[in-house]
Amino acid sequence: MRILGEVVVRNNGNQLKTKKGSTLNSGGYTNTSHIGPGRVWGKSREYTAPTIQVTIAAAEDVDVMDINAMEAATLTWEGDNGIDYMMTGCAPQAPFQLSDSGEITGTFEGEKVERV
């Protein structure tokens, strides 16, 4: 049995230079309890968009401006455990940040995640 240890993240088929620590949130519903005196009256739910959080190596061929300009991209999450996911309609959730430690960090938000 293989446990997830490494992930390759691709943008429209091209591998991003991601470092260890990428995180996939497959999206879905966030439930909220509505509380009364000593009880829960019920729950409501709101859809939460899927995300992929990454740290990218700031190599000379990687431009933070290009990453921030991405729109309607398709990202794939290829796990070394044999389970892969595809997130469609992706764009940066907020502008990615470039640090002097050689890293570009941020989160992509998409419309839908499905197993491929």
Side-chain angles (χ1 to χ4, degrees), residues 1 4-5 7 17-18 21 42 45 58 67 69-70 79 87 100 105 107 113 116:
M1 175 179 291
L4 183 66
V7 169
K17 292 184 177 183
T18 55
R45 64 185 196 162
I67 295 168
M70 289 173 53
M87 186 168 74
D100 62 1
T105 56
T107 301
V113 168
V116 291

Side-chain angles (χ1 to χ4, degrees), residues 21-82:
S22 296
T23 304
L24 169 71
N25 174 341
S26 62
Y29 289 95
T30 300
N31 294 300
T32 302
S33 294
H34 295 272
I35 308 297
R39 64 177 296 163
V40 174
W41 291 116
K43 295 184 182 291
S44 60
R45 64 185 196 162
E46 181 177 4
Y47 186 73
T48 301
T51 59
I52 296 178
Q53 182 179 6
V54 295
T55 300
I56 300 170
E60 62 185 20
D61 62 341
V62 180
D63 187 346
V64 70
M65 301 291 283
D66 290 341
I67 295 168
N68 286 332
M70 289 173 53
E71 290 185 22
T74 297
L75 298 182
T76 55
W77 167 283
E78 301 171 3
D80 67 350
N81 62 349

